[in-house]
Amino acid sequence: MSYLGIIYNELGDFSKAEHHYSLALKMYKELSQGDDNAVHIAATLNNQGNNLNSMADYIKADHCYKEALVVHRKMAQQGDQVGIANTLVYIRRNYVAMDRFSEAEESFAEALGLYRELSEGQPSEDVADASQCLGVVYNNKKAYAKAEQCYTEALDIYRELSQNKDVAETLFDLGNNYGDMQELNKAEECYRQAIGLYQIAELEHSCSAAMAKTFLNLGNNQRDKQEFGEAQACYERAIEAFREATGGEDNAEIGNVLSDIGWCYIQAGDEKNAQLQLAKGLDMLKKYEPAHPEISKIEGYLSQTKD
């Protein structure tokens, strides 16, 4: 039953996955004697929690993770520290989805401590992943110095493990963090390093969307530095990458880039081109994501600039 839940989850049929996880869990608990089936119960609870998280049912997911954590802690005497750490990671991601960053920090800090202990001083992908994600939590809490420390630790490990994609993703996050700190030159350096890694042959195709977001953020960074020509070039590259990621189709992401081009023209004092790009972005956003928060902002601006 649990395996059927995994299959349905991978197919995106979360309701059927939930049904099979519930059946599997009931069966494991009915058959359990003492600690028998504890491993299966904990794994199924975590899988069920991840499935509920995909359904945005975060409260129920939290209950599943907490129950799984209790089981893993009971198993800890048998050396199940990895199970505890992994479950704490799931709890943290669920908290972030609910914007409960203080609780996410607590669970992730504990997970990071466990992963460090288990790694015995050796380069560990689990330590890097946990540190990178804790950096995201600190960034959301505006604790930028702590976020920088976490991202830097993750970068050092990913580089030692030669994991270029993870290095690029962490450089993107670190660039965002520097941008929030208004350290625009450092942010630019991170974004450019990330783009260079994404453009490595074996990553370029599969990372088109990530590369597009990096070009977009680099464009906004250059706009804030008043380097409007470079910003426009980055925006154009972002649009190209977003189109590549979607097989050439228009989408809300491109609409968002067009609106950023419009705001860039405004800062550059080019009102005519600003209105043209904002109108294009508005049409695309309305078509592909009618609830996008940028829509009201663009409409408000355009209504004030009508002849």
Side-chain angles (χ1 to χ4, degrees):
M1 291 296 179
S2 183
Y3 290 115
L4 284 173
I6 293 170
I7 291 170
Y8 279 121
N9 175 270
E10 290 177 351
L11 291 171
D13 194 336
F14 303 124
S15 294
K16 285 186 179 178
E18 166 64 12
H19 173 70
H20 285 286
Y21 284 137
S22 295
L23 288 177
L25 197 56
K26 181 181 178 181
M27 181 181 69
Y28 286 137
K29 287 181 177 179
E30 287 177 350
L31 294 174
S32 180
Q33 295 180 357
D35 291 333
D36 292 347
N37 287 322
V39 172
H40 298 301
I41 290 171
T44 304
L45 282 165
N46 277 332
N47 286 336
Q48 186 175 34
N50 291 340
N51 187 69
L52 288 164
N53 179 277
S54 298
M55 298 169 72
D57 195 341
Y58 304 122
I59 301 300
K60 287 184 179 178
D62 185 55
H63 291 319
C64 289
Y65 294 139
K66 295 289 180 59
E67 187 177 349
L69 189 61
V70 170
V71 177
H72 280 302
R73 289 197 190 281
K74 287 181 178 178
M75 296 163 57
Q77 293 179 347
Q78 303 171 23
D80 190 32
Q81 299 297 320
V82 174
I84 294 173
N86 290 342
T87 304
L88 286 166
V89 169
Y90 298 145
I91 290 172
R92 172 265 165 195
R93 289 172 177 164
N94 200 55
Y95 280 145
V96 169
M98 294 188 284
D99 293 332
R100 290 163 59 177
F101 296 111
S102 293
E103 292 159 292
E105 179 187 348
E106 293 172 8
S107 64
F108 235 97
E110 184 180 353
L112 181 56
L114 286 171
Y115 284 138
R116 282 176 175 156
E117 182 181 338
L118 291 165
S119 70
E120 298 181 341
Q122 297 302 309
S124 165
E125 184 177 355
D126 287 330
V127 171
D129 290 346
S131 188
Q132 189 269 344
C133 290
L134 185 56
V136 173
V137 171
Y138 282 135
N139 177 268
N140 278 286
K141 294 182 68 177
K142 303 187 187 304
Y144 301 127
K146 288 184 177 180
E148 181 183 3
Q149 290 175 355
C150 289
Y151 291 140
T152 301
E153 178 183 10
L155 272 175
D156 289 343
I157 297 171
Y158 286 138
R159 282 172 170 151
E160 191 166 354
L161 296 173
S162 300
Q163 296 182 193
N164 286 335
K165 183 179 178 183
D166 292 316
V167 172
E169 290 172 352
T170 307
L171 283 166
F172 174 81
D173 288 335
L174 182 57
N176 291 344
N177 194 66
Y178 281 134
D180 291 334
M181 298 168 71
Q182 293 303 303
E183 295 193 29
L184 303 183
N185 289 331
K186 288 185 178 180
E188 178 184 354
E189 182 181 353
C190 288
Y191 292 140
R192 292 194 185 280
Q193 285 184 36
I195 288 168
L197 288 170
Y198 283 134
Q199 289 176 327
I200 293 173
E202 65 266 24
L203 294 181
E204 186 167 2
H205 180 69
S206 61
C207 295
S208 294
M211 187 159 60
K213 291 176 183 178
T214 310
F215 270 120
L216 174 59
N217 285 17
L218 178 58
N220 290 337
N221 189 77
Q222 302 311 96
R223 179 192 66 195
D224 292 342
K225 292 178 66 176
Q226 307 291 301
E227 296 177 1
F228 301 120
E230 281 196 37
Q232 296 289 356
C234 291
Y235 291 139
E236 293 301 326
R237 293 294 302 275
I239 289 174
E240 290 175 11
F242 276 129
R243 288 196 190 283
E244 181 179 341
T246 59
E249 299 293 326
D250 287 338
N251 54 70
E253 297 282 11
I254 293 176
N256 189 53
V257 179
L258 290 170
S259 70
D260 279 331
I261 292 174
W263 302 127
C264 185
Y265 275 125
I266 289 171
Q267 285 188 238
D270 190 338
E271 191 77 21
K272 182 178 179 180
N273 276 318
Q275 292 183 28
L276 178 64
Q277 295 299 324
L278 287 171
K280 288 181 179 179
L282 180 62
D283 289 343
M284 204 170 289
L285 288 172
K286 281 184 170 180
K287 181 177 180 180
Y288 295 104
E289 193 175 333
H292 197 288
E294 190 78 359
I295 290 175
S296 60
K297 181 181 175 183
I298 298 172
E299 287 178 332
Y301 175 81
L302 291 177
S303 66
Q304 293 175 8
T305 56
K306 283 184 178 179
D307 294 331

